[in-house]
Amino acid sequence: MRKLPLATLAAALVLSATASATSLELPKGFYATDVNGQPVSAHATTLELDAGKQVVTLRYANPYIGQRNLHETVVSKPIYVVFTTDGQSNYNLNADIPYHLKDAKAFAKKPKFTIQQDDQQIAYQAYIGNGAVTALLAD
């Protein structure tokens, strides 16, 4: 039996892990606070995911210029997004981000977005703020 050098074995493991990597791309205006209960950088635009059920906690946050040129940042309550990944595909969260402050405030209360897997829309559940607890208790 031929033994492989440790460096070759390590490289093979990294390549096999990379080949089955799954990620979620976030659009500008959205940031994640955690994935499956594990904190992530608020600056991350790509989230690495495992295969299976995912719970991604997001927030919508965007700066706007309001009346009298005052800057205002619109921030949503936490949005808990639940969906399932296959462990091999890449996913994108897509949203039409509003341009006007009034529209942004309405959007923050009830964000509308889709999640796509390789350009195909997938099913997901989204719960906002305390609505997550209410919805889960109702199940």
Side-chain angles (χ1 to χ4, degrees):
M1 181 165 159
R2 185 175 157 210
K3 292 185 179 181
L4 292 175
L6 186 56
T8 304
L9 183 59
L13 288 173
V14 169
L15 288 175
S16 67
T18 304
S20 65
T22 294
S23 65
L24 174 65
E25 293 286 329
L26 300 176
K28 190 171 191 161
F30 281 86
Y31 70 93
T33 57
D34 66 68
V35 174
N36 299 326
Q38 299 300 313
V40 295
S41 169
H43 301 289
T45 58
T46 303
L47 305 173
E48 297 302 319
L49 306 173
D50 294 325
K53 187 175 185 178
Q54 307 298 313
V55 179
V56 179
T57 307
L58 303 171
R59 281 194 188 252
Y60 164 72
N62 245 340
Y64 290 88
I65 299 175
Q67 295 177 350
R68 299 184 199 130
N69 288 330
L70 298 175
H71 293 271
E72 183 174 343
T73 300
V74 176
V75 181
S76 72
K77 293 181 180 181
I79 307 162
Y80 305 96
V81 182
V82 182
F83 63 103
T84 303
T85 62
D86 63 8
Q88 298 173 353
S89 300
N90 292 314
Y91 298 81
N92 293 298
L93 189 138
N94 299 311
D96 290 327
I97 304 298
Y99 292 104
H100 301 288
L101 181 60
K102 179 183 172 186
D103 297 333
K105 288 181 178 182
F107 185 84
K109 289 180 183 174
K110 194 169 184 176
K112 294 179 180 153
F113 54 86
T114 60
I115 298 177
Q116 291 185 317
Q117 171 189 9
D118 301 328
D119 297 325
Q120 295 292 323
Q121 190 169 325
I122 65 163
Y124 68 90
Q125 292 82 34
Y127 308 98
I128 299 173
N130 292 337
V133 174
T134 303
L136 294 171
L137 287 173
D139 283 343

